[in-house]
Amino acid sequence: MPSSQSLTTEQAAALLGVSRATLDRLLDQGKVPFEGVGSQRRVLRRDVLAYREQRRQEQYEALAATSVPIDEEADIETTLQTLREVRKEVAARRRGPR
């Protein structure tokens, strides 16, 4: 299948594993490029795959950022508290400046 293949929003949503409404929101936000064909929107397969890869990298980075080393000798409550603090910090960065 050529990477320049044009997909409908329904096909692109299925490829990403999201609803069409979610894909429409991504298109409106400019996160996935598209072109208008009449009253419909079309996306290139390579753009959908690039967005999927970008999201995977962001997810892997988020997982790495929220991990904490677990010492078998450490108190479990201390470890859980550290994990909560890291998650709060990541959530605050994701929300951005207010």
Side-chain angles (χ1 to χ4, degrees):
M1 186 181 302
S3 64
S4 63
Q5 180 182 9
S6 179
L7 305 173
T8 64
T9 53
E10 190 171 324
Q11 291 169 326
L15 188 59
L16 289 174
V18 299
S19 70
R20 197 176 61 77
T22 297
L23 179 68
D24 286 339
R25 197 168 30 257
L26 294 171
L27 298 176
D28 292 340
Q29 294 170 349
K31 294 184 178 181
V32 178
F34 69 93
E35 51 185 43
V37 178
S39 63
Q40 299 178 352
R41 300 195 274 191
R42 301 284 181 171
V43 293
L44 294 178
R45 182 174 175 266
R46 69 171 173 245
D47 293 334
V48 173
L49 295 176
Y51 175 77
R52 184 175 70 176
E53 183 59 31
Q54 174 192 350
R55 284 291 298 154
R56 281 187 179 160
Q57 288 304 317
E58 290 171 359
Q59 290 168 342
Y60 291 144
E61 290 170 10
L63 284 172
T66 59
S67 67
V68 295
I70 298 176
D71 180 3
E72 289 186 27
E73 303 297 319
D75 176 47
I76 188 66
E77 288 304 317
T78 303
T79 302
L80 291 174
Q81 181 60 35
T82 303
L83 185 55
R84 281 191 287 273
E85 290 169 7
V86 169
R87 287 181 177 156
K88 283 181 186 178
E89 182 181 321
V90 169
R93 275 191 270 151
R94 191 177 316 132
R95 283 190 301 270
R98 292 193 173 219

